[in-house]
Amino acid sequence: MNLRTAAGGFVAFLLSVPALQGNDDWAVTYPSSNISALRGSTVEIHCNYEYPYYTVEKEFWFTNIDNEPVDLKDDTDYTGRVEYHCGDPSCNWFYSSCTGTCTLIIKDLRQSDSAEYKFKITTDNGEAYSGDPGVKLSVTDAPETPSVGVTPPGVIKEGSSVSLTCTSKANPVAKYTWTKVTTGHSPGRSFQGQQLSFHPIQSSDSGQYLCTAKNDLGTKTSSPISIDVKYAPKTPSVSVRSPPGVIKEGSSVSLTCTSKANPVAKYTWSKVTTGHSPGHTVQGQQLSFHPIQSSHSGQYICTAKNDLGTKTSSPISIDVKYGPKRTFVRPSRPGKIKEGGSVTLSCSSDANPAAKYTWFKDNQPLLWEPSQLYTLDPVRSQDRGTYRCQARNQYGYLASNSVFIDVLCKWKTIIIVTSLARKREDHIKPDIFDRVK
């Protein structure tokens, strides 16, 4: 007897045992004593038989029952699903024996078809013979689509214990494999066992999982089940989007705060004031400056918050570069300056980076090393004039106001002797001229 699988079916050969009954002139042989086939498939069971030189009146298949054997073609449980393919016997008159073959075909196998099948022949001399024991057919199932359960039910929070359990009807019992689905890729690492446990579960365990049930008869995979682990925000990271290089006043700058959180976090920005708590706050994931001003320089922190917790970023510094502003000159002493005294002119300007200064007197540059201070010590009469400074860095320059330095000169007594006096020297006493000299 040969076993084979029809479309969609499967048959396993387990044991080949001939079954004989009667004397040496009679025989029924089954190549296999036990077979398994999938539900819904078609199975073919072949047998070879031998009988004395008589005429065969009937040949049929039946199941092992206690009562009189019933031809499967007459059994309502098999209506429309059973066929016999029996060839014409071949007889040898010299040996007074005949041989033949017969095939039982059962379509659309059911679980109820599991039974022991035997072949029987009857001849015109009134004798009947069957192969005993027969062929035991076990109708089995490949795994059904698995179902997946999650315990405990409800919201899954990071740090809790969670188990996934896979169940599938199968005969023989299925073995289970779990895989985590990576978006855009094939399932990754796999885990064996009917239950997949997380003790404790982490945020990284979020994702879709598949359970595959497999036995010798087939394989079936579940629909993906999503595990959504809820967790408080992780420490936020802050990125700065600006034109390449340094941040210049007047450009557009955006700060973006990012924190892994589930559910999604809400963001709050605060500017840190040295020695004080963060000042004015701004809501939103992005803090934008269009355009950015010098007053925006400082440290900023971002706070991410959801229902499960709050986390604050490390401070990020924003250093806005700009040219000089509010350039101003102040003298150390107000009013007029006496000759011989001293005065210092101080130039100040708001700039980043700090400005370098150039001094001018009466609109002419002074040959002086750039300095924020310009000192006149001592003050001379020729120092009288209008002074100003110019502040400059790589982002611009700006001239200051003008300051007038008025020098009060000292009075000197000078005796002038003219030529007329010398013409009268004869009338002047010599000691007078000696005092003049």
Side-chain angles (χ1 to χ4, degrees):
M1 174 185 65
N2 294 322
L3 303 179
R4 65 174 181 169
T5 304
F10 175 86
V11 174
F13 293 89
L14 300 180
L15 183 64
S16 179
V17 178
L20 303 176
Q21 177 178 308
N23 55 34
D24 294 340
D25 296 330
W26 296 84
V28 176
T29 304
Y30 306 112
S32 295
S33 60
N34 293 279
I35 63 174
S36 295
L38 284 172
R39 179 176 61 87
S41 65
T42 297
V43 66
E44 295 184 0
I45 304 175
H46 299 269
C47 77
N48 299 312
Y49 59 90
E50 181 178 352
Y51 61 96
Y53 197 77
Y54 299 115
T55 300
V56 174
E57 290 189 339
K58 186 175 179 63
E59 50 188 3
F60 64 96
W61 291 85
F62 65 98
T63 58
N64 186 24
I65 58 175
D66 295 333
N67 300 322
E68 185 69 21
V70 176
D71 189 339
L72 290 180
K73 289 185 176 181
D74 298 328
D75 190 331
T76 56
D77 290 338
Y78 294 86
T79 300
R81 299 190 299 119
V82 171
E83 295 179 6
Y84 298 161
H85 288 180
C86 299
D88 293 332
S90 175
C91 296
N92 187 322
W93 62 268
F94 181 80
Y95 293 103
S96 299
S97 65
C98 299
T99 59
T101 62
C102 191
T103 301
L104 166 65
I105 300 175
I106 306 174
K107 302 177 180 178
D108 190 20
L109 285 173
R110 304 171 183 174
Q111 285 285 353
S112 58
D113 294 337
S114 295
E116 183 177 358
Y117 292 82
K118 302 175 182 179
F119 177 75
K120 185 174 184 177
I121 59 174
T122 61
T123 59
D124 57 358
N125 69 340
E127 294 187 78
Y129 298 90
S130 61
D132 189 17
V135 178
K136 292 181 180 179
L137 172 63
S138 176
V139 178
T140 58
D141 251 339
E144 296 181 359
T145 300
S147 61
V148 177
V150 181
T151 53
V155 175
I156 299 173
K157 295 182 181 180
E158 187 174 39
S160 62
S161 294
V162 177
S163 295
L164 307 182
T165 303
C166 188
T167 305
S168 174
K169 292 182 179 179
N171 184 20
V173 174
K175 293 182 179 180
Y176 298 93
T177 302
W178 293 92
T179 50
K180 185 177 182 180
V181 180
T182 305
T183 303
H185 301 79
S186 300
R189 183 183 174 188
S190 60
F191 306 88
Q192 302 294 326
Q194 189 173 7
Q195 192 172 77
L196 178 63
S197 298
F198 305 91
H199 304 295
I201 197 165
Q202 305 294 327
S203 58
S204 57
D205 295 322
S206 288
Q208 290 188 322
Y209 292 82
L210 298 173
C211 169
T212 299
K214 181 179 181 181
N215 63 14
D216 295 337
L217 306 176
T219 301
K220 212 69 170 180
T221 300
S222 69
S223 299
I225 183 170
S226 294
I227 296 299
D228 187 22
V229 181
K230 305 294 184 181
Y231 56 98
K234 308 297 182 182
T235 300
S237 62
V238 177
S239 60
V240 181
R241 182 179 180 183
S242 64
V246 298
I247 298 175
K248 299 179 183 178
E249 187 174 43
S251 62
S252 293
V253 177
S254 295
L255 307 183
T256 301
C257 187
T258 305
S259 173
K260 292 183 177 180
N262 189 14
V264 174
K266 292 183 179 180
Y267 299 93
T268 302
W269 291 94
S270 302
K271 187 175 182 181
V272 180
T273 305
T274 304
H276 299 80
S277 300
H280 181 65
T281 60
V282 178
Q283 303 292 328
Q285 187 174 9
Q286 192 172 77
L287 179 61
S288 299
F289 305 94
H290 303 296
I292 197 167
Q293 304 295 327
S294 59
S295 58
H296 294 143
S297 289
Q299 288 189 321
Y300 293 82
I301 55 175
C302 165
T303 299
K305 181 179 181 181
N306 66 10
D307 295 336
L308 302 177
T310 301
K311 207 75 172 180
T312 299
S313 70
S314 299
I316 184 169
S317 295
I318 297 298
D319 186 21
V320 181
K321 305 296 185 181
Y322 54 96
K325 300 179 181 181
R326 297 179 290 278
T327 304
F328 195 77
V329 172
R330 291 181 178 83
S332 60
R333 298 172 59 185
K336 297 180 180 181
I337 310 299
K338 291 182 181 181
E339 186 177 17
S342 67
V343 65
T344 297
L345 302 178
S346 176
C347 187
S348 63
S349 181
D350 178 19
N352 187 18
K356 293 183 178 181
Y357 300 93
T358 302
W359 289 93
F360 295 82
K361 178 189 176 187
D362 298 330
N363 293 323
Q364 297 299 315
L366 294 172
L367 299 179
W368 196 270
E369 289 294 326
S371 173
Q372 190 173 4
L373 301 177
Y374 185 71
T375 301
L376 299 171
D377 186 17
V379 174
R380 299 173 298 173
S381 60
Q382 58 265 38
D383 291 330
R384 184 177 186 272
T386 300
Y387 292 81
R388 64 180 175 86
C389 74
Q390 184 185 81
R392 177 188 295 270
N393 65 14
Q394 59 264 47
Y395 301 106
Y397 61 90
L398 183 65
S400 70
N401 58 308
S402 296
V403 172
F404 180 71
I405 299 297
D406 192 4
V407 180
L408 293 178
C409 298
K410 291 183 179 180
W411 290 101
K412 295 182 180 179
T413 302
I414 302 175
I415 300 175
I416 301 176
V417 179
T418 65
S419 60
L420 178 60
R422 288 200 175 269
K423 287 181 181 181
R424 294 180 179 179
E425 62 183 357
D426 294 339
H427 304 287
I428 301 174
K429 294 180 178 181
D431 58 343
I432 297 176
F433 287 98
D434 291 336
R435 289 197 300 269
V436 173
K437 294 178 180 179

